[in-house]
Amino acid sequence: MEYNFDKKIDRSKNHSAKWSEMDKHYGSNDLLPLWVADMDFEVAPEIYDAMKEKLEQRIFGYVYRPNSYYESACEWTKRRYGYEIQPNTLIHSPGVIPSISLIIRLFTRENEKILIQPPVYQPFSSVVKKNKRTLVTNPLKQVDGRYIIDFDDFEEKCKDPDLKWFILCNPHNPVGRVWTKEELTRIAEICLKYNVRVISDEIWRDIVYKNYKFTPFASISKEVEDITITCFSPTKTFNIAGLQASFVQFPRKEELELFQEELAVLDIRRNNAFSLVAIEAAYTKGESWLNALIDYLEENYNFLETYIKENIPKIKIVRPEGTYIVWLDFRDFKLSDKEISTILQEKAKVALQEGLIFGEEGRGFQRINIACPRYILKEALIRISKAFN
């Protein structure tokens, strides 16, 4: 089937946070938005059809989850990654970040230390701090334009007996690394050695480019699986983040039950009527659409890379191995972060995400979302080129 990722869609009138909430962050909605990580593409036809069928019932009462809901996630994981999980190890949650926050509340104590790897998705640090835990960082190192893990520092941090958990981001947001099996194995060895548990955020797992391979962290070994709680979701993959649904994989039954009880206390156990059918349709019928999407995203990246090299060579690009976000290095302009953002917003009229949001290690960088029709990406790059040249 052919999919039209170049279709023009006016999202400014559909309550889109990406298009209509820029004024809260940038002071104006008169910008081209390439900041929030959702896509300007229509969902797979199969997802639309499933939701349309639900809509035509004209009743939106409480829904229950059939076994097929969890089975679809298990079958997808086995088919794409060769990793077999069981439905009874999974639990539905409203989202990955709420899940991580709840895991921290349930399984750590105040002031215990939790490790992250900046520059990294900003909510990682905020959920640690807001839950009154102590944030510890293992900054990634940039070597020849590619980010790697500083394993000496990682092990040194894990030696601390007060450090109980590590939050892994794989694929990594914002630098786009898809950690290799060898890298993940080394992380696992260190965590096992020092009794550090792992929360593995794998929400980007399905968007991986050619020549790269995603490995679920828990699939490394049964020992590793036992110390890992995995959070994943098809919402980034299939552009259904607004439906607010995700999965948490628990290897330990008693922890799953505790998590489930807490969701019950908050009364947020159920799917909404649309996420229930959309997720099952995505996992059972959406693979063809996803493969076409990844091809289109890779073409968008190639377009961006060529344009920047030819027209704005001072911007250095960190090539993503996965995700649809690209980490751009503006440091050769010798400008402050505020100056870079001012030029982007006031001269280029483009909204990117400032690198400092992702930690001090993001100073001088900006994150751009390339999951949009190419005409939008092209217009944004032309504006950026004129503003900085």
Side-chain angles (χ1 to χ4, degrees), residues 232-368:
F232 67 97
S233 173
T235 54
K236 288 279 189 244
T237 309
F238 291 99
N239 202 27
I240 51 176
L243 298 183
Q244 296 182 316
S246 72
F247 294 92
V248 189
Q249 178 193 349
F250 285 93
R252 303 180 185 183
K253 183 180 178 182
E254 67 276 12
E255 291 182 346
L256 182 147
E257 290 173 348
L258 277 172
F259 191 90
Q260 197 166 35
E261 287 172 12
E262 197 65 19
L263 291 180
V265 169
L266 297 170
D267 198 20
I268 52 174
R269 291 176 297 172
R270 295 184 186 274
N271 289 73
N272 67 57
F274 292 102
S275 69
L276 185 75
V277 296
I279 284 179
E280 193 166 336
Y283 277 152
T284 57
K285 301 175 183 177
E287 198 155 20
S288 173
W289 180 90
L290 174 60
N291 293 335
L293 168 74
I294 292 171
D295 288 342
Y296 187 87
L297 292 174
E298 195 145 21
E299 290 167 5
N300 262 6
Y301 172 77
N302 291 335
F303 176 83
L304 173 138
E305 182 181 58
T306 299
Y307 188 94
I308 287 179
K309 284 182 177 178
E310 291 178 355
N311 298 280
I312 335 168
K314 277 190 173 183
I315 298 177
K316 301 297 183 290
I317 309 164
V318 178
R319 185 179 186 92
E321 300 167 357
T323 80
Y324 52 70
I325 48 185
V326 183
W327 195 229
L328 301 178
D329 184 348
F330 284 75
R331 289 177 296 179
D332 280 357
F333 286 103
K334 310 298 183 187
L335 299 170
S336 70
D337 290 87
K338 185 176 181 180
E339 288 170 327
I340 294 167
S341 293
T342 298
I343 293 170
L344 287 168
Q345 293 158 31
E346 296 184 6
K347 292 188 176 181
K349 294 291 184 181
V350 171
L352 306 186
Q353 280 209 306
E354 189 175 286
L356 272 174
I357 292 173
F358 304 93
E360 184 64 28
E361 295 76 10
R363 188 174 293 280
F365 288 81
Q366 297 275 333
R367 191 190 79 168
I368 185 170

Side-chain angles (χ1 to χ4, degrees), residues 60-125:
F60 310 111
Y62 297 121
V63 294
Y64 84 102
R65 279 185 293 275
N67 292 337
S68 57
Y69 179 78
Y70 287 122
E71 288 166 356
S72 69
C74 295
E75 289 163 7
W76 176 270
T77 302
K78 183 178 180 181
R79 186 166 69 250
R80 286 190 79 89
Y81 310 116
Y83 174 42
E84 192 164 351
I85 57 177
Q86 300 303 317
N88 63 2
T89 67
L90 297 181
I91 190 166
H92 163 83
S93 168
V96 166
I97 293 302
S99 298
I100 293 174
S101 183
L102 201 50
I103 291 164
I104 290 170
R105 287 191 189 193
L106 288 173
F107 306 124
T108 69
R109 298 191 303 273
E110 234 177 78
N111 298 319
E112 279 188 349
K113 296 178 180 178
I114 299 174
L115 183 65
I116 65 172
Q117 294 178 312
V120 72
Y121 188 43
Q122 184 273 333
F124 282 14
S125 60

